[in-house]
Amino acid sequence: MNSNKFYFLALVIIFSITISCQKQVVSGILVRNIDEFNSAVANAKAGDEIVLANGVWKDVELVLKGEGTKESPIKLKAETEGEVFIEGVSNLKIGGKFLEVSGLYFRNGHTPSGTVIEFLIDKETFANNCKVTNCVIEDFTQPNREDTDHWVEFWGRNNELSNCYLAGKSNFGPTIRVFLKGNEHIKNNHKIINNHFGPRPRKGGPHGETLQIGDSGTSMTPSNTIVANNFFDRCNGEVEIISSKSNNNEFRNNIFFECEGSLVVRHGNYATIDGNIFIGNDNSKFIGGIRVVNTGHWITNNYFYKINGSEFRSALAVMNGIPKSPLNRYNQVTDVVVAYNSFIDCKSPLNFSVGSNVDKSDVLPASEIRSERPERTILANNLIYNQTNGEYPIVNYDKVDGVLFKNNILNSENKSEVKSDGLITKKFEVNKLSDWLYAPTQNDSEIYAGFDFETITKDLFGNDRTTNNSIGAICLPVNESKINIDKKAYGPTWFNAEKQPDAKTIVEVSTVKDLIEGLKNAKSGDILTLKAGVYDVNQALVIDKKITIKSADANSKATLNFGTNTQGAAFQMHPKGNLILESVLVNGTPTQDAVATLDKNMSIAFNLVLNNTEINNFKSVLKVSKGSFADTISVVNSTIKNCISGIQLAEEIDDKGDYNAEFVYIKNSKFEAVQKDVLNYHRGGYDESTIGGNLEVTASEFINCGKADKTGILLKNRGIVNVTIADNKFTNNPVKLIAILWGEKGQKPGENIITNSGKFEIQQNLKMKLMY
């Protein structure tokens, strides 16, 4: 090659590289601050990529507006996925067509508006054909738990949330809301797919759904939203994990892992619920499955394992309706198909006429009485297998005269009140394929061919039913590549949702200075061991992490004296505070609370454990603020003496269904000379959306308590749903009543020894304020 040709070729190559680089720069616009971002958005064209520089973007309100095309969307992406952190008071609004967002991580903050990511800028500018993918929203919750927001709001049509991780929302409001307000937003065909919905903590009140599609006002509207291939991981916000409140939605191939709630078709009709897996355990009676209201749903190919809840939280709960129900209450169940489902080791999996409340007409208005039983509903080709205790597969709260049973097989004798030729006891065996998956050893082809059943062409794992059909969710042979759950298949590829357990460093304490400094510098999970002796503490100890304070020698307890110079409580609980006091003596003054929460902004639940500990001379053992919430309060092997009040959990007095703690345990403990009530644990409002609180008082002693309580009640537990008071001793407590128990909820006193201490009273039905 001569020199002229070589020179010309070199110029061509350099020119080509220059053009290529220019295209890359144009389509990848790196922005480092909000002004550069706004400028890039204002000038964005189809095919452009706006790249947020790595680092922390704090207190930013990002607005992505543009007109991309299907072939050339406008993209907003992280410079490196997972290394762009949206923090502080921040949010993202999306409006236009064919826009895509990816790789962002929302943390350490909250939205200034009602939404973190919203497919809408204003009423005139909303999103169509837009996507948010490979993003994380974690603990991005409001400081005040009573403030309402949503983390993702869907508006417009054909939008998608995919491969995202969302976890840790603790305030009011569903994590995701789909809105249908206006023709522009109905028949929307939104997709919520391949996401990992991580733990949502118990909220202690309503409005803690993970996903809500529509609302009662738009419940007769077609949404056509698809929720598929998602992993719902311990979503415990309230009884409705998913609340479908619109028509024609599809829920396919999702996994619900140990979620204390259910997939609920609450309002609206014609939902498809197919191929979902519900996994429970032996430890919780609050994990649910599917709850059915309204018309025309098809519930097929679903698999339920160890779902031990009842009524609203049973594996399959089919409700009674209200005659001429308004939109926001309960329509009658009609024309529902439940076919080819498997129930393995579930306690009484089929519950009918759930919510029937004709017997409560003395405390409820006629507009709340659910008396309309399910009609024209069919259960066919379902499989129920129990290793033990499977004799009562059905619980009915009313007559079951509108349900047709066909070719459902059980391996146990049916001793339920409901009998039918379509409930067939048959000996069959199952193989264990994984920790949660059991399949019959052979297909059972004696199926019922109901109307349109030929449209059910696949089983749980995609096997063809048209050539190899069987009763239950699974046809053999099972594709073994599909039987293991891989959490990494859900959510962003760059994010690891598995949290490492708190490390436990033991910090030795021998002086007050050691205690204060040790607590200040401790990491979550650390243990402070106190040398025997007396510690005079003159400041409140702040608990904002998991911390254990214990005596080094349980037989020689350290004593903590909180003097009059201590301001506020001895222990001040902050969000995420988890205090374990073990084998210590704690003394205070009648002007102090032993433990108290912040007055406001208790954004995340706290926990308190007293084990082999003595609390003396305080104003109260625990005082909480309105809006605060404890997951667990546990008093075990401990003594409470000479306090004015005991455990105070009654600040939610506006009767909207909220309460201040989920689990309260008093076991093998002693309360002596507590002047007022030993416990005040309150939940008000006629609400069925939560666990409703849990109180266990067992093997404990109460002596000379309650003399100054004006109500004359020792243990106040109004509105708490799950109550056990048994094997206790009540001695010389000058009160009228030990407790009032709620008969409708099955509450009754156990074997207690009562001496000069009043009595128990049972009220069958409590009159509570209506919330709706």
Side-chain angles (χ1 to χ4, degrees), residues 194-245:
N194 305 319
N195 300 289
H196 185 167
F197 295 102
R200 175 156 188 175
R202 302 179 183 103
K203 182 183 166 296
H207 311 296
E209 304 93 339
T210 295
L211 168 60
Q212 180 179 326
I213 305 174
D215 57 33
S216 57
T218 58
S219 59
M220 296 296 106
T221 303
S223 184
N224 301 1
T225 296
I226 297 173
V227 181
N229 300 304
N230 300 288
F231 187 73
F232 293 87
D233 183 1
R234 290 161 290 165
C235 297
N236 298 339
E238 64 143 80
V239 72
E240 298 181 12
I241 305 163
I242 295 177
S243 185
S244 181
K245 297 185 174 182

Side-chain angles (χ1 to χ4, degrees), residues 248-480:
N248 305 328
N249 297 315
E250 298 183 20
F251 306 93
R252 297 184 183 273
N253 306 316
N254 302 287
I255 297 174
F256 296 84
F257 179 76
E258 296 185 352
C259 294
E260 292 181 345
S262 301
L263 191 172
V264 182
V265 281
R266 177 64 183 85
H267 299 307
N269 307 304
Y270 306 109
T272 299
I273 305 177
D274 181 80
N276 303 283
I277 296 171
F278 298 83
I279 300 174
N281 57 44
D282 290 324
N283 303 317
S284 176
K285 62 181 181 180
F286 304 118
I287 296 169
I290 296 171
R291 179 154 59 94
V292 184
V293 191
N294 296 304
T295 293
H297 311 301
W298 279 59
I299 301 169
T300 56
N301 291 319
N302 301 288
Y303 181 91
F304 305 82
Y305 176 65
K306 288 193 175 182
I307 305 301
N308 294 318
S310 61
E311 298 187 72
F312 281 47
R313 298 172 189 266
S314 56
L316 179 73
V318 182
M319 293 201 65
N320 262 18
I322 296 172
K324 298 180 180 179
S325 174
L327 287 176
N328 68 333
R329 303 314 294 135
Y330 290 86
N331 284 314
Q332 184 181 22
V333 173
T334 64
D335 305 298
V336 169
V337 173
V338 181
Y340 294 114
N341 302 284
S342 291
F343 302 88
I344 307 296
D345 284 335
C346 297
K347 181 180 178 181
S348 299
L350 308 179
N351 281 218
F352 292 98
S353 291
V354 169
S356 175
N357 56 2
V358 176
D359 60 339
K360 302 177 185 64
S361 57
D362 58 332
V363 295
L364 291 174
S367 60
E368 284 293 323
I369 299 301
R370 294 183 288 242
S371 59
E372 287 196 321
R373 300 187 291 274
E375 288 188 355
R376 301 188 304 277
T377 292
I378 182 168
L379 267 77
N381 305 331
N382 299 291
L383 179 146
I384 300 175
Y385 177 86
N386 286 83
Q387 296 185 59
T388 59
N389 301 321
E391 294 86 2
Y392 295 92
I394 296 176
V395 176
N396 58 299
Y397 300 91
D398 202 336
K399 294 180 182 178
V400 183
D401 51 5
V403 179
L404 177 66
F405 297 92
K406 288 289 185 180
N407 292 45
N408 302 281
I409 66 168
L410 308 79
N411 74 315
S412 301
E413 180 185 358
N414 177 21
K415 295 182 180 179
S416 304
E417 181 180 319
V418 178
K419 309 289 186 183
S420 169
D421 291 341
L423 295 166
I424 304 166
T425 297
K426 180 185 294 188
K427 185 177 180 180
F428 62 93
E429 296 180 353
V430 296
N431 282 331
K432 182 177 181 179
L433 303 180
S434 72
D435 288 341
W436 55 271
L437 183 62
Y438 292 76
T441 56
Q442 61 184 22
N443 286 333
D444 188 331
S445 60
E446 294 183 13
I447 62 169
Y448 172 72
F451 177 75
D452 263 358
F453 275 33
E454 69 276 7
T455 63
I456 309 171
T457 59
K458 303 291 184 181
D459 78 343
L460 173 65
F461 295 118
N463 281 340
D464 189 354
R465 286 194 181 274
T466 62
T467 59
N468 197 27
N469 208 353
S470 181
I471 284 174
I474 300 170
C475 298
L476 302 177
V478 177
N479 185 341
E480 294 193 5

